Amino acid sequence: MSALDAVRARQSWSKVEDAAPTREELLPLVSAAGRVADHSSLRPWRLIELRGTDREALGAAIAKAQGDASPSSKPLRAPLLIAVVASYRKSDKVPRWEQEAVASGVAHTLSLLLDEAGWGVIWRTGHYTRAKAVAKAHGLDKNEELLGWLYVGAKPAGRKPGRRKPVDARKLLTRMPKPGAKKGKKKAKQDEAPEGR
């Protein structure tokens, strides 16, 4: 399967079954995902595996963050959760937003690799990703932020993923406006610029 085929086939799986890749199966995928564009090679990210009772501890932390009496059952929706952490580095060249983009790129690439390997994956977030109780449960340092979790498990047999609307690339791939062009002019004319411009 080509990279293009893998990307076109990728879907989010909101429901998965109780099987997950082992740590040994994950390691080469994480290594490959770490090849994303990374200005100054800062590696401003890390991933945390949550399995078994780790997920219950996360459920308790989410409940604390939301002021709920009972632990959240959300982390129990998949046998493996991979916490995506932006681990910011001091840099005069690479701003914080760019470092967060690298961490997001690693997460997305890892989700593609897991999907291509046959696993069901969905990236879940929530307002509580930045809550102190949740950060503490993950052992985050002061220079780190949680971006969410990849929920990973076996794709249910005979079940298809949800359908997604096709992407209209012509609307989303535009050209830079010509100098002096007024804001709000139709972008279609930019799209039809002659080749070689």
Side-chain angles (χ1 to χ4, degrees), residues 2-194:
S2 72
L4 181 60
D5 291 337
V7 172
R8 282 179 167 162
R10 191 211 71 83
Q11 295 279 346
S12 293
W13 291 80
S14 60
K15 293 184 180 178
V16 293
E17 294 188 354
D18 200 23
T22 65
R23 181 177 178 82
E24 292 307 310
E25 291 171 318
L26 275 180
L27 290 173
L29 302 181
V30 170
S31 181
R35 301 276 305 181
V36 299
D38 182 358
H39 190 179
S40 295
S41 298
L42 294 179
R43 295 205 171 95
W45 58 274
R46 69 185 179 101
L47 305 172
I48 304 169
E49 288 178 81
L50 289 85
R51 300 177 190 266
T53 57
D54 299 337
R55 300 169 305 148
E56 294 170 12
L58 174 57
I62 290 172
K64 185 174 182 180
Q66 297 187 135
D68 294 337
S70 301
S72 172
S73 62
K74 290 178 182 178
L76 303 178
R77 293 178 181 171
L80 169 64
L81 277 62
I82 302 173
V84 180
V85 179
S87 191
Y88 303 108
R89 313 290 185 213
K90 288 185 180 178
S91 173
D92 294 330
K93 286 194 218 175
V94 187
R96 187 178 175 98
W97 69 262
E98 190 174 345
Q99 296 186 42
E100 184 172 329
V102 172
S104 297
V106 168
H108 181 64
T109 302
L110 181 57
S111 75
L112 286 170
L113 293 168
L114 286 162
D115 185 82
E116 197 264 338
W119 299 103
V121 185
I122 191 169
W123 188 347
R124 294 190 184 273
T125 60
H127 61 278
Y128 43 77
T129 57
R130 301 294 164 93
K132 286 182 182 178
V134 175
K136 185 176 179 182
H138 286 81
L140 301 189
D141 290 332
K142 290 180 182 178
N143 66 317
E144 296 183 321
E145 285 183 324
L146 181 64
L147 303 184
W149 304 266
L150 297 180
Y151 280 52
V152 185
K155 293 178 181 177
R159 190 155 184 264
K160 293 185 177 180
R163 291 181 5 160
R164 294 186 66 163
K165 292 180 182 177
V167 175
D168 186 349
R170 290 185 187 277
K171 287 184 179 177
L172 298 168
L173 179 64
T174 63
R175 298 293 301 262
M176 188 169 179
K178 294 184 191 265
K182 290 186 178 179
K183 194 174 183 181
K185 279 197 169 186
K186 291 198 173 194
K187 293 180 182 176
K189 289 184 179 177
Q190 295 170 6
D191 296 341
E192 296 166 9

